[in-house]
Amino acid sequence: MRMLKILLWKELLQIYRDPAIIRILFIMPMIQLLILPLAADYEIKNINLGVVDHDHSEYSRQLVNKIVSSGYFRLKDYSATFPQGLKAIESGRTDLILEIPTHFERDIVKDNRSSLFVAVDAVNGVKAGLGGAYLQGIIQNYNQEVRTQWIQAQRFDEQPTIEIASADWYNPHMNYRVFMVPGILVMLVTMIGSSFAANNIVREKEMGTIEQINVSPIKKMQFILGKLIPFWLLALLVLTIGLLIARLVYGIVPLGHYSTIYVFATIYLLAILGLGLLLSTYAQTQQQSMLVSFFVTMIFNLLSGLYTPIESMPAWAQLITRFNPVSYFIEVMRMVMLKGSGLADIRYQILALIGFAVFFNGWAILNYRKRSG
Amino acid sequence: MEKENVIVTHELTKRFGDFTAVDNVSFAVQKGEIFGFIGANGAGKTTAMRMLCGLSLPSSGTATVAGFDVYKQNEQIKKHIGYMSQKFSLYEDLTIRENIRFYAGIYGLRDERIREKTDLLLQQLHMKGAERTLVRALPLGWKQKLAFSIAIVHDPAIVFLDEPTGGVDPITRREFWSLIYEAAGRGITIFVTTHYMDEAEYCNRVSIMVDGRIDALDSPANLMQQYASASMDGVFLQLARKAKRSGD
Ligand SMILES: Nc1ncnc2c1ncn2[C@@H]1O[C@H](COP(=O)(O)OP(=O)(O)O)[C@@H](O)[C@H]1O
Ligand SMILES: [Mg+2]
């Protein structure tokens, strides 16, 4: 215990003295959170939409009108069949297709439910993915209007639903930032967890101080905890700053509890720090560890569902996301933020992350040796 | 009277692949002596020392340090030794006082003992008043003297010094050696590697390593007599001429 205390004291002192850490920890998150969503917001205002309307009804026309008048979409193609619509995507004229089935109006009126199909262009993942998400938001909103009309006209109790074939989406205000900001937060926390701790250990290797540690009676476990705890605290601190920015600047208040986010983040960080630790046991120089952790986090982020909704990824990529801790955190973030999910709803994700934590840390501890062969 | 041995090795060997860095070395170091390990760059001094410190697993042979077996009791050995690696190993971004506190702390010294030790050490090194200076800002000679004092802050039975005076001026080297004598006077066994031949003459006994083997082991006086040379330099040159390995 005393040993751990002295290790933590030294570690925090060094972090405190490192101007780069303070810069990266506090200034970078602010910039990312403040600039990135604004920049991407511009991009997302010009999504090219193709419509395949098999229904040609009043409802379907209303829906398309509503989508176009949202200001985010430009109606670029109106095809009679889905294959024709796909051609427009392939030629790059459109970013996504909305297919309205025959009897769309009739199904809503008669059965209170209908489904729509949204196809997105896999090449421009960000634009199409977010466009898809927006579209779903608008459709949900439209659904609410249907309900209002319905109730006024017929005094019918049941709420008609439009099933969106590609995904459930809980961002009724169509706010792109609500979609993006929690994701950026996850990325930041991931970066700190995976690369900072790793770099720190590798720096001790480079400086030669690790030899001095290895020749002392410090236990492997104490050393590892002494490295993990400070970065675990730092990452939670950055998360807190990020959540504050999200709230104060973007007015993003989670529907669920902050505590749910923190419980999950705590476990998530165990897994990510374990990954960093594992990297550090292999890397000999800071350059190596930086490069590898950058590469790994980039892959994780790309396949996380942050830019491209997981549902619209090809099957092989969807499978990979199941082995990607980042995708779980983004999913949980959105569930808590937008759906108000609690601990019980995310138990599956928690279990998965515990699995990751055991796997990464176990491997790292096996691989960290105080003595070379 | 036979003195107690604190380090005993028998045919200790370290191979990296098919390269033998340390080749069947056998020797004993007595309690309280200053034992020099002399050899050209690449002779295998660091490798041998790392095995004795429990940092590197031997390929074959046996060794005990402070009565503990290097294979099985390496964590026990660590409680009884100090080590100053060839690479400078204090934290540059911590102050003198903080470095002392950290290294004393990881050897389990209590707070008040750490305070006493810090005062003593600062006084001995004439660094009073500089204790809040970051180590980064110190001249190399100061750093090395500080590193040595910190390596023995927990009063180990044996201290291993790997080329502790590399790159410093002759005056600082003298000062460094007076610190070594002071520690030896307190009963700490000194195991030191060097390639400065004048320093070899400060040792009670020296072993001369050539290509991973120990080719000679005796007191400097006996060696000079045996090799009919007026200085250790001459002894070393005669032995080193046989070397096939070039430095790294
Ligand atoms: N980890 C290692 N892997 C392969 N070869 C090594 C390793 N460590 C040292 N050597 C080799 O062993 C030899 C002895 O090295 P070393 O013990 O550092 O010599 P010295 O300290 O006497 O200069 C050198 O040729 C060196 O290249
Ligand atoms: Mg060496």
Side-chain angles (χ1 to χ4, degrees), chain B residues 46 86 162-163:
Chain B
T46 300
Q86 195 169 353
D162 198 356
E163 302 199 13

Side-chain angles (χ1 to χ4, degrees), chain A residues 299-300 303 314-325 327-328:
Chain A
I299 302 265
F300 274 179
L303 289 174
W316 62 267
Q318 288 199 21
L319 187 69
I320 292 178
T321 63
R322 293 293 92 193
F323 297 96
N324 177 359
S327 64
Y328 289 89

Side-chain angles (χ1 to χ4, degrees), chain B residues 129-143:
Chain B
E131 62 258 45
R132 287 180 200 287
T133 313
L134 292 185
V135 164
R136 182 189 293 138
L138 299 178
L140 182 64
W142 283 41
K143 286 184 187 175

Side-chain angles (χ1 to χ4, degrees), chain A residues 22-151:
Chain A
I22 304 292
R23 214 165 34 235
I24 294 171
L25 282 186
F26 298 103
I27 304 187
M28 199 179 64
M30 304 222 189
I31 291 178
Q32 287 222 357
L33 278 173
L34 296 178
I35 305 291
L36 215 64
L38 293 178
D41 215 17
Y42 169 78
E43 158 88 355
I44 222 66
K45 285 209 167 122
N46 300 295
I47 302 160
N48 300 319
L49 177 72
V51 171
V52 182
D53 186 356
H54 299 293
D55 198 32
H56 302 290
S57 63
E58 185 56 33
Y59 270 42
S60 69
R61 262 189 296 280
Q62 251 183 33
L63 178 62
V64 173
N65 263 335
K66 182 148 178 91
I67 292 167
V68 173
S69 64
S70 72
Y72 292 104
F73 297 94
R74 293 187 298 202
L75 188 58
K76 276 295 177 76
D77 182 67
Y78 210 94
S79 309
T81 66
F82 190 71
Q84 278 174 11
L86 266 184
K87 281 218 177 71
I89 279 201
E90 279 162 14
S91 70
R93 265 193 301 137
T94 58
D95 298 313
L96 51 86
I97 309 174
L98 172 69
E99 189 184 30
I100 303 170
T102 5
H103 311 314
F104 173 67
E105 182 183 69
R106 198 193 68 192
D107 286 353
I108 287 192
V109 175
K110 251 178 72 189
D111 305 336
N112 310 329
R113 55 171 49 251
S114 185
S115 55
L116 289 162
F117 184 72
V118 178
V120 299
D121 177 11
V123 177
N124 190 346
V126 181
K127 203 168 176 183
L130 286 168
Y134 266 20
L135 200 56
Q136 290 169 21
I138 296 170
I139 292 165
Q140 295 250 318
N141 212 4
Y142 174 72
N143 188 7
Q144 296 284 315
E145 276 176 29
V146 172
R147 177 178 159 231
T148 331
Q149 277 181 3
W150 191 265
I151 289 168

Side-chain angles (χ1 to χ4, degrees), chain A residues 2-3 6 9-10 13-14 17 204 206-207 209 211-212 214-218 370-373, chain B residues 14 50 54-57 70-71 75 78 83 87-89 91 93 98 101-102 106-107 109 111:
Chain A
R2 201 186 129 69
M3 199 78 108
I6 199 124
W9 165 78
K10 170 224 153 215
L13 203 59
Q14 286 184 300
R17 292 234 171 97
E204 294 227 18
E206 272 186 339
M207 301 292 289
T209 44
E211 283 270 276
Q212 222 59 47
N214 286 343
V215 84
S216 79
I218 290 184
K370 284 184 76 181
R371 176 153 73 171
S372 63
Chain B
K14 178 79 187 186
R50 285 170 49 84
L55 286 171
S56 166
L57 198 65
V70 290
Y71 288 95
E75 291 301 319
K78 288 172 183 175
Y83 174 62
K87 229 169 157 183
F88 177 73
S89 53
Y91 290 93
D93 50 353
E98 287 159 356
R101 165 140 193 244
F102 176 69
I106 63 175
Y107 282 96
L109 267 64
D111 282 340

Side-chain angles (χ1 to χ4, degrees), chain B residues 125-192:
Chain B
L125 295 171
H126 310 292
M127 289 184 190
K128 267 242 147 48
E131 62 258 45
R132 287 180 200 287
T133 313
L134 292 185
V135 164
R136 182 189 293 138
L138 299 178
L140 182 64
W142 283 41
K143 286 184 187 175
Q144 280 171 326
K145 283 189 279 182
L146 182 63
F148 172 70
S149 303
I150 286 178
I152 56 168
V153 73
H154 56 294
D155 295 314
I158 308 157
V159 64
F160 291 88
L161 309 172
D162 198 356
E163 302 199 13
T165 55
V168 299
D169 60 90
I171 296 172
T172 312
R173 269 167 55 199
R174 279 204 111 80
E175 287 171 1
F176 196 97
W177 273 89
S178 70
L179 287 176
I180 292 182
Y181 273 107
E182 190 275 334
R186 281 193 284 134
I188 299 178
T189 306
I190 314 281
F191 187 106
V192 57

Side-chain angles (χ1 to χ4, degrees), chain B residues 188-212:
Chain B
I188 299 178
T189 306
I190 314 281
F191 187 106
V192 57
T193 76
T194 180
H195 55 242
Y196 294 114
M197 288 310 131
D198 56 332
E199 289 188 349
E201 287 168 31
Y202 299 148
C203 299
N204 299 128
R205 283 192 308 150
V206 295
S207 69
I208 297 179
M209 254 190 131
V210 180
D211 289 357

